[in-house]
Amino acid sequence: MSDLDLKTSVKGQILSTSDLPTLPTVLDEVTKLVDDPNSSTEQVAKVISQDQVLSAKVLKMVNSPIYGFPGRITTIQHALVLLGLNVIKGIIISTSVFDMIQQAMSGLWEHSIGCALASGAIAKAAGFEDPEEFTVAGLLHDLGKVVTAVQLPELNEAVRMTVKEKNLCYYDAEKVILGFGHDRINAWLARHWNLPPNVREAMTYHHHPDRAQFYQQTAAVVHVGDFLVRLFEYGNGGDDQISYFKPAAMKILKLKMKDLEPVMDELSEQFVEISGFTF
């Protein structure tokens, strides 16, 4: 099989909808309610609350150190008011595929949590409103790796071996074996799940934030967040290398490297705090 045929075959298997992680039916109902101008936050909260297991997971996540409301949010409605629907939607997705992330790659969940924390801290440092929106983009930035591990375990193993044998970062090894990286898979997945455009662009362009069309700032925040969490060696994104850092990201954010110093001080404390939290 030629390289081109292999890449086409891989793409077809990756994007096979029947095998993609399924999300709770609650999410569809929530999306319909949000599109209805006559619906209320109370109605949305009621729909989510009907799934007791999911509600418990969402409340546990929103009360984790990631969002800065430890133990203070006791209802889904309160969570919606404080964090907004986009953030709750992202949390529903991440908690729904939590077990899959844990099985896909050791340390990937911790890496995702770390990137979420870092993205929120960077967004605050850059003076952006609603840092939680950036946090959830960081949380979901590596979902494409999970899909590859679940859909194509043999090729996923080949990617892992390429990382080890050729001393490549995971992203470069994916391109060698699959012909594209997890960012391409993220783009399709985000469309398939109807994620908000800012989260979708961050997932798609976190390796190349300057290529994002409408939400360069979100993509740049996640790019820097990914870099910092690797610098701290918190969790595992598939290799032990520090990801390539694009100076263009700092330009997009209007930040200088010295602006990251207080962010890193804050993160060093948060990583200690989060490591003792059970999700």
Side-chain angles (χ1 to χ4, degrees):
M1 188 184 282
S2 72
D3 282 354
L4 186 61
D5 288 341
L6 174 64
K7 288 169 188 176
T8 305
S9 165
V10 165
K11 188 175 181 182
Q13 287 171 273
I14 287 272
L15 306 184
S16 167
T17 52
S18 59
D19 297 325
L20 278 174
T22 51
L23 298 179
T25 51
V26 165
L27 211 52
D28 284 335
E29 293 176 53
V30 165
T31 303
K32 283 174 192 165
L33 276 174
V34 172
D35 291 340
D36 179 358
N38 297 316
S39 69
S40 64
T41 305
E42 193 177 352
Q43 285 174 289
V44 175
K46 192 175 179 182
V47 167
I48 297 172
S49 301
Q50 283 170 358
D51 187 327
Q52 292 182 346
V53 174
L54 181 64
S55 296
K57 286 180 178 177
V58 169
L59 286 173
K60 191 167 193 181
M61 178 69 93
V62 297
N63 282 302
S64 77
I66 298 176
Y67 293 99
F69 304 107
R72 284 164 44 201
I73 303 176
T74 55
T75 66
I76 295 294
Q77 187 170 354
H78 190 194
L80 279 166
V81 170
L82 283 175
L83 296 172
L85 185 77
N86 284 350
V87 174
I88 298 301
K89 211 171 170 182
I91 289 172
I92 288 173
I93 290 169
S94 64
T95 53
S96 300
V97 296
F98 170 78
D99 292 338
M100 211 175 273
I101 294 174
Q102 292 278 61
Q103 291 163 17
M105 189 186 293
S106 176
L108 184 60
W109 174 251
E110 290 78 7
H111 172 75
S112 302
I113 291 288
C115 189
L117 271 173
S119 297
I122 294 156
K124 284 178 197 164
F128 297 143
E129 291 181 11
D130 302 320
E132 297 85 8
E133 295 258 345
F134 296 85
T135 298
V136 86
L139 188 63
L140 301 175
H141 80 289
D142 268 350
L143 273 188
K145 292 178 182 176
V146 180
V147 174
T148 307
V150 172
Q151 310 275 78
L152 300 164
E154 289 179 10
L155 285 173
N156 186 59
E157 182 59 25
V159 172
R160 285 193 342 99
M161 292 308 295
T162 303
V163 166
K164 200 173 175 182
E165 291 167 4
K166 298 192 175 180
N167 196 29
L168 292 176
C169 69
Y170 195 88
Y171 182 56
D172 287 341
E174 284 176 319
K175 288 189 280 188
V176 168
I177 300 298
L178 304 173
F180 47 79
H182 59 277
D183 51 350
R184 179 86 63 87
I185 303 165
N186 281 347
W188 194 87
L189 204 55
R191 278 196 300 273
H192 177 68
W193 283 344
N194 198 27
L195 295 184
N198 57 334
V199 174
R200 193 161 67 218
E201 283 218 341
M203 289 172 69
T204 306
Y205 297 108
H206 67 277
H207 284 287
H208 303 282
D210 47 325
R211 295 182 190 172
Q213 287 181 286
F214 303 108
Y215 296 94
Q216 284 195 349
Q217 291 177 335
T218 315
V221 162
V222 176
H223 177 81
V224 180
D226 190 25
F227 173 79
L228 289 184
V229 75
R230 284 171 171 270
L231 202 62
F232 276 98
E233 298 182 348
Y234 187 80
N236 178 16
D239 58 68
D240 58 4
Q241 299 190 21
I242 295 169
S243 58
Y244 178 69
F245 184 74
K246 281 186 169 281
M250 296 295 280
K251 197 173 178 183
I252 291 166
L253 299 175
K254 297 183 171 61
L255 291 176
K256 294 185 166 54
M257 291 306 286
K258 66 178 182 185
D259 297 323
L260 292 182
E261 289 173 16
V263 171
M264 292 174 75
D265 289 341
E266 181 187 339
L267 285 175
S268 63
E269 293 176 16
Q270 286 185 315
F271 286 149
V272 171
E273 189 181 357
I274 202 97
S275 61
F277 189 87
T278 307
F279 287 92

